[in-house]
């Protein structure tokens, strides 16, 4: 089990995202420096859709969504997220240091 998937180059990014999404033991995937958080969140959603995940942004996610995505952790009300989507995989965007974005799995 790996807790973090960190691709170091653009061509490895989708493989890192697939690994993150495929194994719920992975806590996060980081993007490429200066990529931007929103760009990484969009890329994760595109890869998730290509992999057949029932993927929704939190604004329009049904109760039974397989994967609920928040653009930023500040958009989440941690107390109500698990109540609203009790069986969903919840992920969110975050800015790390040195201009590196990440998508993190809610634990």
């Amino acid at each position: 089990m790996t807790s973090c998937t960190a691709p170091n180059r653009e061509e490895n990014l989708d493989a890192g995202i697939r690994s993150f999404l495929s194994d719920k033991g992975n806590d996060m995937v980081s993007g490429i420096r200066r990529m931007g958080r929103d760009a990484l969140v969009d890329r994760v959603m595109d890869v998730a859709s290509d992999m057949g995940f029932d993927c929704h942004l939190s604004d329009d996610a049904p109760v039974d969504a397989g994967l609920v995505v928040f653009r930023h952790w500040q958009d989440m009300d941690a107390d109500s997220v698990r109540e609203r989507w009790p069986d969903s995989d919840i992920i969110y965007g975050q800015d790390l240091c040195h201009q590196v974005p990440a998508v993190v799995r809610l634990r």
Side-chain angles (χ1 to χ4, degrees):
M1 176 171 36
T2 307
S3 64
C4 174
T5 304
N8 58 2
R9 297 190 331 197
E10 182 77 23
E11 59 266 21
N12 298 330
L13 183 57
D14 288 352
I17 293 170
R18 283 191 297 276
S19 175
F20 167 70
L21 293 169
S22 296
D23 182 354
K24 290 186 181 182
N26 288 325
D27 293 327
M28 67 171 271
V29 61
S30 63
I32 307 302
R33 186 168 189 244
R34 295 190 179 132
M35 176 181 201
R37 176 179 28 86
D38 285 341
L40 179 60
V41 168
D42 290 341
R43 185 88 162 255
V44 169
M45 290 186 66
D46 288 344
V47 171
S49 293
D50 289 346
M51 292 174 69
F53 281 86
D54 177 30
C55 180
H56 298 270
L57 277 173
S58 58
D59 297 341
D60 66 351
V63 174
D64 61 347
L67 181 65
V68 179
V69 181
F70 287 84
R71 289 208 170 271
H72 193 272
W73 64 268
Q74 291 179 327
D75 299 335
M76 296 173 28
D77 175 4
D79 293 332
S80 65
V81 167
R82 284 289 175 210
E83 276 182 33
R84 185 168 177 190
W85 299 287
D87 299 319
S88 300
D89 191 12
I90 311 290
I91 61 175
Y92 56 91
Q94 183 168 336
D95 298 302
L96 302 178
C97 59
H98 304 295
Q99 302 172 340
V100 176
V103 172
V104 180
R105 182 168 276 116
L106 181 65
R107 297 283 183 217

